[in-house]
Amino acid sequence: MRRAAIFLDRDGTLIEEKGYLRSSEEVEFLPGIFKALKKIKNRYLFFIVTHQPGIGRGELKRDEVEKVNSFIQTRLAQEGIIIKKIYMCPHRREDNCECIKPKPYFLYQAAQEFNLDLLSSYVIGDHPVDVELARRAGASGLYLLTGHGAKHLAELNHYFPIFHDLNQAIDYILQTEEALDKASTILRQGGVVAFPTETVYGLGADVFNSLAVARVFEIKARPHFDPLIVHIACMDDLLRLAQKIPDKALNLAKKFWPGPLTLVLLKKEIVPDIVTSGLPSVAIRMPRHNLALRLILKTERPIVGPSANPFGYLSPTTAHHVRDQLGSKIDFILDGGPCEVGLESTIISFLEDPPRLLRPGGIPLEDIESTIGPINSTPLVKLKPEAPGLLPRHYAPRTRAYLDWSEADFWRWKEEGKKIGLLSFRGEKTNLPFDHLEILSPEGDLRQAAAALFASLHRLDKAKLDLILIEKIPEIGLGRAIMDRLRRATFLSSDNPFPSFSESP
Ligand code: TXA
Ligand code: MG
């Protein structure tokens, strides 16, 4: 098991910031730090990362610093707080040393030596460089206003949670871990959780739980189904969900993941139809937000995530937006602060070559083209504006389907020797002798019906029927999206019997 760690800055975080310290007599621990660290000492390995540019400037001797360090380490040990190792950078910032650039070297070194999980680790400090180190290593940076924290506050280039002191930061860690546990438990039990990503907040559900996914559509109250983006946290999940992945797609994933890029690829069977709205393709992305990645890993499955706003509203970039718009409808909101990008991910489809831009977003097209060459950026809607129902992603069965029909029609078709299937909501018309029956929800539950819809249509389409008759569904809640889908299905199959199963956006 990989362990999580806390990397503590020394001056200004653990002890008073007094400039160059040459002897242990000058050490003054900040109030409350022993008590604070004791709260989490069994959960984390502790390290100190300290910057001592006085050595590089020739104003401080290395052994003076080491004496101070070992005094601090011993004093903490007396309190039962074990510092595994102290990493010290003796260089001046202008030296551009390798301690922090290009990678936060100490963090990676500690991760290797102590088998650490950096994603679940924290760096706590009172200087922007401290928290920036965390960000670059995929860990969480917590910024303190003790020491020089207040003075350097304006230099923070990204969002980091800010605390008055170490104690407050540690309480935040405990709360965050608790929230993460709760969110992943809810997801595993089929609930819906809003979660932060670097782009916008997503409305998360277990990708393999069709009912949970149906609830996402219900909460969003979209008047139609839209294929959802599947969020993953490791490359193995990409291979588990998609097939025939072109090299160009893999190259983009390697370069921009985790990050605001979504790849549309041919799906594997394992991805439920409700996730892709019945399409043979699936949209996948690995978000860059620390909590999003941890949530997916903890839940041990990918999670779907449309933006966490009701249909037609602005995309939410803070937990507060989500609470305002959807608060009462979802099971939990995992607060990860404001979103860094604030703009949805760029979506590229690899179902054709050259690949096609489906949605501009967080990663500029130029960056993508400079990695894999030209991208077709003609918007899909402009290709056939006269026939939105023919847009490839509006899936429809190949078999002729009818929404408007009567029992008299049924018997007439039957006499003509037609093989007829029924897509029924609760099973009302099942007294008629159909050749194939699909009942969406015997209990009349719209969520259950939505979850079953695409798979039922697929089965009907594969049943070698001449006709599919469809029973109408009450147009309330999810019923609207279901009926929208069914209208498209019948429109396409009656006016254009084109095989849209194998099509690609
Ligand atoms: O940044 C983002 O991508 C955010 C965060 C939460 O990750 N998510 C997001 O999801 O914007 P959503 O559901 O609002 O937009 C997903 C869009 C769909 O509207 C659809 O256009 C496209 O992704 N999409 C999904 N699956 C697709 C597929 N198989 N083929 C074509 N387009 C697809
Ligand atoms: Mg400091």
Side-chain angles (χ1 to χ4, degrees):
M1 252 299 262
R2 290 192 306 155
R3 297 276 313 264
I6 294 184
F7 294 87
L8 298 152
D9 167 53
R10 195 190 84 176
D11 303 19
T13 296
L14 292 175
I15 64 174
E16 292 287 357
E17 171 71 70
K18 295 181 176 172
Y20 301 146
L21 290 193
R22 296 190 169 82
S23 91
S24 56
E25 273 108 74
E26 297 166 279
V27 171
E28 194 181 332
F29 285 96
L30 285 166
I33 66 137
F34 298 128
K35 201 166 152 225
L37 291 171
K38 279 178 194 170
K39 287 190 214 167
I40 48 167
K41 73 186 173 75
N42 297 329
R43 297 175 67 144
Y44 292 91
L45 298 182
F46 292 135
F47 297 88
I48 289 177
V49 178
T50 180
H51 182 218
Q52 298 297 333
I55 298 178
R57 294 197 182 110
E59 292 175 33
L60 197 60
K61 294 202 190 77
R62 189 180 275 269
D63 68 305
E64 288 171 330
V65 173
E66 278 164 4
K67 266 190 212 136
V68 170
N69 284 349
S70 83
F71 170 77
I72 292 170
Q73 196 167 12
T74 309
R75 181 68 192 88
L76 285 167
Q78 285 165 359
E79 299 286 337
I81 299 156
I82 307 302
I83 303 294
K84 282 280 175 190
K85 194 161 177 168
I86 299 181
Y87 296 95
M88 197 238 319
C89 168
H91 309 106
R92 301 170 305 171
R93 292 276 185 245
E94 57 271 30
D95 292 341
N96 272 324
C97 62
E98 286 185 354
C99 301
I100 53 173
K101 276 183 185 165
K103 281 183 162 186
Y105 176 72
F106 295 145
L107 269 60
Y108 284 101
Q109 199 186 17
Q112 272 215 328
E113 194 175 341
F114 296 90
N115 194 25
L116 300 181
D117 167 15
L118 285 181
L119 204 59
S120 308
S121 298
Y122 293 85
V123 180
I124 309 178
D126 65 325
H127 194 280
V129 169
D130 299 326
V131 286
E132 188 54 33
L133 286 184
R135 206 179 77 86
R136 273 193 249 146
S140 305
L142 306 184
Y143 191 80
L144 302 189
L145 295 173
T146 47
H148 285 162
K151 190 168 82 187
H152 291 292
L153 188 59
E155 294 159 35
L156 287 176
N157 283 330
H158 294 92
Y159 165 78
F160 296 98
I162 297 167
F163 305 95
H164 284 294
D165 58 18
L166 184 66
N167 188 49
Q168 213 184 46
I170 281 172
D171 284 343
Y172 168 86
I173 292 177
L174 290 169
Q175 283 158 20
T176 302
E177 297 300 314
E178 198 181 315
L180 204 54
D181 280 344
K182 186 167 173 195
S184 77
T185 304
I186 293 172
L187 284 176
R188 257 184 275 122
Q189 291 169 345
V192 174
V193 170
F195 67 101
T197 80
E198 77 281 27
T199 60
V200 300
Y201 273 73
L203 207 49
D206 171 1
V207 69
F208 300 124
N209 184 332
S210 296
L211 268 182
V213 177
R215 227 185 110 209
V216 168
F217 285 111
E218 183 179 53
I219 293 168
K220 276 198 70 94
R222 268 187 186 149
H224 53 86
F225 290 104
D226 220 1
L228 301 178
I229 295 175
V230 180
H231 296 69
I232 61 171
C234 60
M235 281 295 189
D236 285 352
D237 280 339
L238 174 66
L239 307 178
R240 191 166 158 224
L241 301 170
Q243 52 179 325
K244 300 187 187 148
I245 306 170
D247 285 344
K248 284 183 188 174
L250 284 175
N251 289 344
L252 280 191
K254 277 183 204 138
K255 172 130 191 217
F256 295 108
W257 279 0
L261 171 73
T262 297
L263 306 177
V264 172
L265 299 159
L266 213 52
K267 85 175 186 84
K268 280 190 177 163
E269 187 77 30
I270 182 175
V271 183
D273 284 315
I274 187 163
V275 172
T276 66
S277 293
L279 285 173
S281 57
V282 59
I284 303 177
R285 96 174 183 97
M286 192 188 290
R288 192 170 58 213
H289 198 288
N290 174 282
L291 283 184
L293 292 169
R294 292 190 62 201
L295 179 65
I296 300 164
L297 291 173
K298 217 175 197 55
T299 309
E300 295 180 316
R301 65 207 74 177
I303 55 187
V304 299
S307 49
N309 53 310
F311 177 73
Y313 283 71
L314 287 179
S315 291
T317 52
T318 64
H320 187 77
H321 294 157
V322 183
R323 204 165 291 124
D324 267 1
Q325 298 184 346
L326 294 172
S328 58
K329 298 195 171 123
I330 49 190
D331 300 316
F332 191 64
I333 301 172
L334 184 61
D335 190 344
C339 302
E340 189 183 322
V341 180
L343 180 72
E344 280 92 343
S345 60
T346 304
I347 307 181
I348 307 281
S349 168
F350 285 89
L351 303 183
E352 48 188 296
D353 199 33
R356 183 187 291 276
L357 176 72
L358 295 184
R359 177 176 79 185
I363 295 201
L365 189 60
E366 293 80 359
D367 293 0
I368 290 168
E369 290 193 316
S370 71
T371 310
I372 59 163
I375 299 288
N376 184 348
S377 55
T378 328
L380 259 190
V381 261
K382 290 217 179 112
L383 289 180
K384 295 173 189 162
E386 71 287 355
L390 292 183
L391 281 181
R393 65 190 175 83
H394 296 141
Y395 153 84
R398 265 170 284 187
T399 315
R400 288 178 78 91
Y402 292 95
L403 257 177
D404 294 301
W405 55 280
S406 64
E407 279 197 35
D409 292 329
F410 174 85
W411 288 114
R412 184 164 44 77
W413 283 320
K414 199 78 202 158
E415 260 158 46
E416 289 169 13
K418 297 249 179 358
K419 290 188 73 180
I420 309 175
L422 177 71
L423 180 69
S424 169
F425 177 38
R426 347 178 25 151
E428 275 110 358
K429 300 264 194 226
T430 47
N431 54 323
L432 298 174
F434 283 97
D435 296 285
H436 185 107
L437 264 181
E438 291 287 338
I439 301 174
L440 292 174
S441 169
E443 292 95 53
D445 178 327
L446 288 168
R447 201 181 293 162
Q448 202 174 35
L453 178 67
F454 293 100
S456 297
L457 278 171
H458 270 285
R459 278 193 297 272
L460 279 162
D461 210 22
K462 283 184 187 145
K464 300 197 168 66
L465 302 165
D466 299 301
L467 293 170
I468 298 171
L469 302 185
I470 299 173
E471 260 179 49
K472 287 185 185 158
I473 282 171
E475 292 195 58
I476 42 163
L478 272 178
R480 275 164 76 209
I482 298 176
M483 278 301 286
D484 168 80
R485 173 58 58 188
L486 293 174
R487 284 204 185 90
R488 285 174 202 277
T490 51
F491 168 78
L492 266 178
S493 56
S494 52
D495 291 315
N496 186 342
F498 120 0
S500 31
F501 263 116
S502 52
E503 48 58 16
S504 44

